[in-house]
Amino acid sequence: MALGWHQPLARGLTPMSPQPLLLLLLWGWGAGAQQATQPFSIKIEGDVTLGGLFPVHARGPAGVPCGEVKKEKGIHRMEAMLYALDQINGDPQLLPNLTLGARILDTCSRDTYALEQSLTFVQALIQKDTSDVRCADGQPPVLARPERVVAVVGASASSVSIMVANVLRLFAIPQISYASTAPELSDNNRYDYFSRVVPPDSYQAQAMVDVVKALGWNYVSTLASEGNYGESGVEAFVQISREAGGVCIAQSIKIPREPKAGEFDKLVKRLMETPNARGIIIFANEDDIKRVLEAARRANLTGHFLWVGSDSWGSKISPILKQEEVAEGAVTILPKRASIDGFDQYFTSRSLENNRRNIWFAEFWEDDFKCKLTRPGAQLEEATRKCTGEERIGRDSTYEQEGKVQFVIDAVYAMAHALHDMHLDLCPGAPGLCDHMDPVDGRTLLHYIRGVNFNGSAGTPVMFNENGDAPGRYDIFQYQLTNTTVPGYKAIGQWTEYLRLNIEEMQWSGGQQEIPSSVCSLPCGPGERKKMVKGVPCCWHCELCDGYQYQLDEFTCETCPFDMRPSPNRTACRPTPIVKLEWSSPWAVLPICLAICGILGTTFVLVTFVRHNETPIVRASGRELSYVLLTGIFLIYTITFLMIAEPGMVVCAARRLLLGLGMAISYSALLTKTNRIYRIFEQGKRSVTPPRFISPTSQLAITFSLSAVQLVGTLAWLGVRPPHSVVDYEEQRAPNPEAARGVLKCDMSDLSLVCCLAYSLLLMVTCTVYAIKARGVPETFNEAKPIGFTMYTTCIVWLAFVPIFFGTAQSAEKIYIQTTTLTVSMSLSASVSLGMLYVPKVYVIVFHPEQNVAKRKRSFKAAAAAVSASTRLSQKGNERQNGAGTAQVAACDSYTLLWVTAPPPDTEECRVPGATPSPV
């Protein structure tokens, strides 16, 4: 066997069985079944036994498993299996050395009852350990071994097949269904031993969707019997219609498995809640179909609903019996089939005498001929006709071959062909079963089943794909009542991967030829578009085009191209006006004024420093770095004019180059200054040796190196992405198209602008850090503190810049606000540096020239020695107050002086009032 735990079952159930609860159930049932007779099954002797599952009876009322006999779906199909067995056993070419037998069971159209019955098929695989059982004479009992079922034909309903398949797969028993079409059964992982000669409902659902679309319907409801067949069929229809588009589902209603009184009247009333959805897609069993039609007739809705039935309706008479007017115009689907003449001859020749092997045939006989058979001790009612036994099917009763007869025959033949091929491979030339096929291995048999390919009873190929499904081939029928010589089902098309439908041959209620409508909404008027209802793409509301859309056609409002806006009457598009920041704009006045004042102030400071280049204040300020710093400040002011100028390739290139370069130069110079001050004081605490790189040349080299990073990065950016101007139509795309404007600007996003300033901001933060570290410089050295105040103020300016700049990113005035914010922030930061660092110096130079005089110099070495001595004195005696021993620095020209906290009187001579000395 395919499952390793089947062998322990032959010796007795062990606690380690994988399915303990199920196997205990099977064990208990199987043990009892060996001792019981089987009055509700048909047994045909043979070398190989096939199982059969057929809905011989309908589902019984509550508490009763079986109801009335089902003549077509039950007896016809079951007799088709018997007929196929007779044909195969009489065929010298197919299984010539083997005889097929059968064990046929009634499922009573109920999955739970079918599961209980199907345990018959596995009882041969479950043997109880009887070593401890003895007869009265002490001998071991002789138990009749039940026949071994190698494969099962059935079941009919998908819910029954699913239930049975879950058991049969545990014992590796292959199963071929002749009618189960639920898509769920295509799952080869869960139902690996299941195959079927009918196509799955996914194909049928596709065919039904194609029919609905061909009829021009886009709004339908669905009805499904509770269970795998109905629910999975409707689910497949809904999914395919959703994927294909063009068909909407108004309602999806489920028919309960055990409907209460009045349930179908409520169901029809619910369908009328969406009266425009006249098309009803129905996946239901024939009993439910009949009761739905009855409820529609009671509601006086004959001719209102347009039925599209699945293969469970097919071309059957029983669902529409006495409901023909309500069913008129119904379109039904049926797997492509042909009437088997040999079966007709066989079945119509059946009688009570020659068909005793069918234990349900007498019940069928009574129902078919509306008579009663006499039984010993039973008395007939006066109104009941007695059966004579001389009645003949088709002569004394209505007979029409059931639609699935062909598939039952094909399923049995598929089993026979698989066994035939298996016998040829495993037992070549052997009469009967050889050791390799005794017992028949289920997994091996499944392999041969999936490999069969032969022409079936109707002449169509019988084959299976990797999931055990048959190819999809359907006939399309319509039930026609009027304007026809013979009322009944008429073939109007077929479906094999695509639909071929003869619309001209269709007729509807009352014999009308025009296709009735089943649509959700009426067409919109001129100048309106169809706005689809959310979740129901076939329903819409009519509305005028809005926003930037213009009317393209009756169904579509097309959005104008990004550089255009709709015309006032929304019939065409027109160009969007282009704007830019003008020199006369109020947003440009303040930045321009600040920039002009800054440029004039910077120029005045620069001219003053040049004219007094050799004076002590200028020399003490570090002339070289001062000129570099003033140049950077000048460039910062200049960028305002570039930001307001009309964008072009040259202007955009200049913006990229100078936007961050001016700030980089300024903060590189300030960083160099603060770093030098910090290093001098730190070095002075530890040693009299001056720190490295404090000469003017070194400072310039450091400043230019730091500035070069910004310059090289910008030049690389210019090389990789050459600058150009663009028109941004999104920035001022107002809700009202009349207010829309395109903004002419450089190809710099907010992110690239921040990246351009990022290095300068990094220098600014670093400079601020050094300014904080150097905050302990003595008060008499008045160069570090102005730099510190400058950096603190600058940080505040840029911290205010960030929320304003990015907080207006979605504003319609973005170009104006952001440009003004950026230029004003840059001008303010430049003005802070200019005002705090150079205005006091210029003031002394211009208004107090008498203070711009050098008085005394001392060497760095001597001053450092003095600091070291004073520090040692403070450490020995703690003779001075807090802060004693701190070095103080003042610079005169290019020399640096150091003294103790209480400087000697002569150091005052070196200080220039108003000057900001700097260590060199």
Side-chain angles (χ1 to χ4, degrees):
M1 297 300 293
L3 299 178
W5 49 275
H6 289 161
Q7 298 305 323
L9 285 174
R11 298 187 299 270
L13 183 63
T14 65
M16 299 303 293
S17 299
Q19 305 283 348
L21 293 178
L22 176 61
L23 295 181
L24 284 172
L25 171 64
L26 298 178
W27 183 279
W29 187 93
Q34 294 180 16
Q35 301 175 1
T37 60
Q38 312 221 353
F40 301 112
S41 67
I42 295 176
K43 177 69 175 74
I44 307 296
E45 296 295 336
D47 299 322
V48 178
T49 302
L50 300 180
L53 291 172
F54 296 92
V56 178
H57 292 87
R59 182 189 304 128
V64 180
C66 301
E68 61 183 8
V69 69
K70 301 179 76 169
K71 295 190 298 182
E72 296 175 339
K73 213 170 184 179
I75 298 299
H76 283 205
R77 294 180 183 180
M78 189 268 295
E79 286 288 349
M81 182 173 180
L82 296 176
Y83 167 77
L85 291 174
D86 292 344
Q87 295 295 310
I88 293 169
N89 290 333
D91 189 344
Q93 302 299 324
L94 185 61
L95 290 174
N97 299 317
L98 293 175
T99 301
L100 287 182
R103 170 72 71 180
I104 300 176
L105 304 174
D106 180 12
T107 65
C108 290
S109 306
R110 190 186 298 272
D111 50 4
T112 53
Y113 183 79
L115 175 62
E116 180 182 340
Q117 292 293 299
S118 65
L119 299 183
T120 302
F121 300 144
V122 300
Q123 61 177 310
L125 304 175
I126 307 173
Q127 297 182 2
K128 186 175 181 181
D129 185 359
T130 59
S131 60
D132 58 343
V133 179
R134 290 290 182 272
C135 296
D137 58 358
Q139 296 298 318
V142 178
L143 300 177
R145 180 181 177 87
E147 78 274 14
R148 184 187 182 93
V149 174
V150 300
V152 174
V153 175
S156 177
S158 295
S159 58
V160 175
S161 288
I162 289 173
M163 188 77 77
V164 173
N166 284 319
V167 174
L168 297 183
R169 71 184 297 270
L170 298 177
F171 298 90
I173 300 178
Q175 174 185 1
I176 299 181
S177 174
Y178 49 82
S180 298
T181 57
E184 181 181 353
L185 289 165
S186 297
D187 187 350
N188 201 38
N189 294 322
R190 296 178 58 191
Y191 307 103
D192 44 346
Y193 282 85
F194 179 85
S195 305
R196 49 187 163 190
V197 291
V198 289
D201 284 337
S202 53
Y203 296 154
Q204 181 177 197
Q206 180 66 66
M208 296 173 78
V209 170
D210 292 345
V211 168
V212 168
K213 297 181 74 171
L215 296 175
W217 300 344
N218 66 8
Y219 197 50
V220 297
S221 295
T222 64
L223 276 178
S225 291
E226 185 178 2
N228 293 94
Y229 171 78
E231 295 179 39
S232 59
V234 164
E235 182 181 353
F237 179 88
V238 172
Q239 180 178 353
I240 292 173
S241 64
R242 183 183 297 115
E243 293 173 353
V247 178
C248 304
I249 308 302
Q251 296 188 74
S252 287
I253 301 176
K254 186 187 302 183
I255 302 173
R257 194 183 302 269
E258 303 289 347
K260 300 177 181 178
E263 188 73 35
F264 288 91
D265 294 324
K266 295 178 182 178
L267 183 149
V268 170
K269 188 175 181 180
R270 283 187 58 190
L271 289 175
M272 286 304 297
E273 293 176 1
T274 52
N276 288 346
R278 298 177 61 190
I280 309 298
I281 311 302
I282 182 166
F283 278 86
N285 58 60
E286 54 186 87
D287 296 332
D288 288 343
I289 294 171
K290 185 172 185 178
R291 285 182 279 186
V292 168
L293 296 178
E294 291 173 349
R297 179 179 54 81
R298 288 194 298 269
N300 197 25
L301 293 173
T302 300
H304 176 78
F305 293 118
L306 310 171
W307 311 102
V308 179
S310 63
D311 61 342
S312 61
W313 185 333
S315 58
K316 297 186 184 71
I317 297 298
S318 57
I320 64 171
L321 193 62
K322 300 181 181 179
Q323 310 298 330
E324 290 83 357
E325 292 183 357
V326 182
E328 185 178 9
V331 178
T332 60
I333 310 292
L334 192 64
K336 197 170 186 62
R337 64 178 179 86
S339 180
I340 310 302
D341 294 336
F343 177 78
D344 288 340
Q345 297 173 8
Y346 162 82
F347 191 75
T348 55
S349 66
R350 296 299 88 192
S351 67
L352 294 172
E353 294 297 326
N354 63 15
N355 199 22
R356 294 182 180 274
R357 63 182 179 180
N358 185 348
I359 63 173
W360 300 290
F361 195 70
E363 188 177 356
F364 162 79
W365 194 271
E366 291 180 332
D367 186 80
D368 194 43
F369 295 108
K370 303 296 186 291
C371 63
K372 286 293 182 181
L373 294 170
T374 59
R375 294 176 179 83
Q379 300 201 1
L380 297 177
E381 298 178 3
E382 294 183 2
T384 304
R385 186 175 67 86
K386 178 182 178 181
C387 297
T388 65
E390 300 299 323
E391 298 90 350
R392 288 295 175 261
I393 300 172
R395 186 192 69 184
D396 301 316
S397 66
T398 302
Y399 166 75
E400 183 179 358
Q401 188 178 123
E402 200 275 334
K404 293 293 194 305
V405 164
Q406 168 201 338
F407 299 107
V408 176
I409 297 173
D410 287 344
V412 178
Y413 266 86
M415 293 287 192
H417 278 279
L419 288 168
H420 181 83
D421 296 339
M422 186 177 179
H423 189 269
L424 289 178
D425 291 344
L426 301 183
C427 307
L433 294 176
C434 64
D435 292 339
H436 295 294
M437 289 186 65
D438 191 13
V440 175
D441 181 68
R443 184 171 294 277
T444 305
L445 178 58
L446 176 66
H447 170 74
Y448 283 97
I449 289 175
R450 295 290 172 87
V452 300
N453 190 343
F454 63 95
N455 286 331
S457 55
T460 56
V462 176
M463 64 185 73
F464 304 100
N465 62 14
E466 64 277 5
N467 295 323
D469 294 330
R473 293 185 292 266
Y474 295 94
D475 286 323
I476 313 297
F477 296 92
Q478 186 183 41
Y479 184 75
Q480 298 180 359
L481 189 61
T482 56
N483 297 334
T484 180
T485 56
V486 181
Y489 294 97
K490 181 178 181 180
I492 56 172
Q494 56 184 337
W495 188 94
T496 50
E497 296 185 356
Y498 62 92
L499 177 67
R500 293 187 294 273
L501 190 64
N502 298 321
I503 300 291
E504 61 276 3
E505 296 185 8
M506 301 181 70
Q507 64 179 26
W508 307 90
S509 180
Q512 62 176 347
Q513 298 291 326
E514 183 181 357
I515 300 175
S517 65
S518 181
V519 297
C520 181
S521 304
L522 298 176
C524 294
E528 295 178 331
R529 70 164 182 174
K530 295 178 180 178
K531 182 180 179 182
M532 301 300 176
V533 176
K534 186 177 181 181
V536 189
C538 303
C539 300
W540 58 80
H541 301 295
C542 298
E543 64 175 19
L544 293 174
C545 301
D546 58 0
Y548 287 80
Q549 296 178 331
Y550 71 100
Q551 185 179 358
L552 182 64
D553 54 38
E554 184 181 2
F555 301 94
T556 309
C557 283
E558 188 73 18
T559 302
C560 287
F562 71 98
D563 58 342
M564 305 185 78
R565 57 180 179 170
S567 59
N569 59 5
R570 297 186 179 276
T571 58
C573 295
R574 54 178 175 165
T576 301
I578 299 175
V579 298
K580 62 181 183 63
L581 183 58
E582 301 291 344
W583 295 100
S584 58
S585 171
W587 295 97
V589 172
L590 178 61
I592 291 174
C593 292
L594 289 176
I596 291 175
C597 293
I599 290 174
L600 293 177
T602 305
T603 304
F604 178 76
V605 171
L606 189 60
V607 170
T608 303
F609 267 50
V610 170
R611 291 184 59 185
H612 301 84
N613 190 54
E614 298 300 329
T615 60
I617 287 182
V618 176
R619 297 177 66 186
S621 299
R623 291 173 294 181
E624 297 79 4
L625 284 182
S626 293
Y627 291 140
V628 172
L629 179 56
L630 289 170
T631 301
I633 293 174
F634 185 86
L635 292 177
I636 292 175
Y637 286 123
T638 304
I639 195 63
T640 297
F641 300 97
L642 293 174
M643 296 299 294
I644 298 176
E646 181 175 347
M649 186 182 69
V650 176
V651 171
C652 292
R655 284 187 186 181
R656 288 194 194 179
L657 184 63
L658 299 179
L659 182 61
L661 186 59
M663 293 180 63
I665 293 174
S666 298
Y667 296 125
S668 294
L670 285 175
L671 177 58
T672 304
K673 275 178 173 285
T674 53
N675 176 264
R676 180 177 60 170
I677 295 171
Y678 176 74
R679 288 190 295 119
I680 288 175
F681 276 93
E682 288 298 311
Q683 182 74 8
K685 293 177 182 179
R686 298 189 298 268
S687 172
V688 296
T689 304
R692 303 173 61 189
F693 307 118
I694 62 173
S695 65
T697 303
S698 300
Q699 300 300 297
L700 288 175
I702 294 173
T703 300
F704 289 141
S705 297
L706 293 174
S707 302
V709 174
Q710 175 75 27
L711 181 61
V712 170
T714 305
L715 292 176
W717 184 16
L718 292 172
V720 173
R721 293 188 61 184
H724 62 276
S725 60
V726 296
V727 179
D728 187 351
Y729 291 96
E730 295 294 332
E731 188 169 313
Q732 291 196 19
R733 195 174 178 85
N736 181 9
E738 295 300 316
R741 299 292 184 270
V743 179
L744 179 64
K745 62 181 183 178
C746 291
D747 61 330
M748 289 180 62
S749 63
D750 293 347
L751 179 61
S752 60
L753 185 143
V754 171
C755 293
C756 188
L757 296 175
Y759 181 67
S760 301
L761 296 177
L762 177 63
L763 293 175
M764 180 188 73
V765 172
T766 308
C767 185
T768 304
V769 171
Y770 274 105
I772 294 173
K773 288 185 176 182
R775 68 185 183 278
V777 173
E779 187 177 350
T780 50
F781 179 75
N782 52 1
E783 178 72 287
K785 294 192 184 303
I787 294 177
F789 289 133
T790 298
M791 299 318 301
Y792 305 152
T793 308
T794 303
C795 288
I796 294 173
V797 170
W798 285 102
L799 286 175
F801 160 79
V802 171
I804 297 175
F805 185 85
F806 291 100
T808 57
Q810 304 300 323
S811 173
E813 305 292 333
K814 172 184 175 181
I815 182 177
Y816 308 119
I817 298 175
Q818 290 190 342
T819 302
T820 301
T821 302
L822 177 62
T823 53
V824 168
S825 297
M826 296 183 70
S827 295
L828 287 177
S829 62
S831 299
V832 168
S833 301
L834 185 67
M836 290 193 174
L837 297 179
Y838 292 103
V839 168
K841 297 179 177 62
V842 173
Y843 176 80
V844 173
I845 293 173
V846 176
F847 296 103
H848 296 282
E850 70 279 0
Q851 297 181 7
N852 191 10
V853 179
K855 296 186 178 181
R856 187 174 180 179
K857 304 177 182 179
R858 294 176 72 181
S859 68
F860 182 91
K861 186 173 183 180
V867 171
S868 299
S870 63
T871 303
R872 287 194 299 270
L873 291 174
S874 64
Q875 292 175 346
K876 287 181 179 179
N878 293 325
E879 297 175 355
R880 301 185 183 273
Q881 298 176 351
N882 292 336
T886 303
Q888 297 182 343
V889 180
C892 298
D893 195 7
S894 60
Y895 294 92
T896 302
L897 301 181
L898 299 167
W899 59 83
V900 210
T901 304
D906 58 352
T907 58
E908 295 295 330
E909 298 176 358
C910 182
R911 297 183 60 194
V912 179
T916 55
S918 175
V920 181

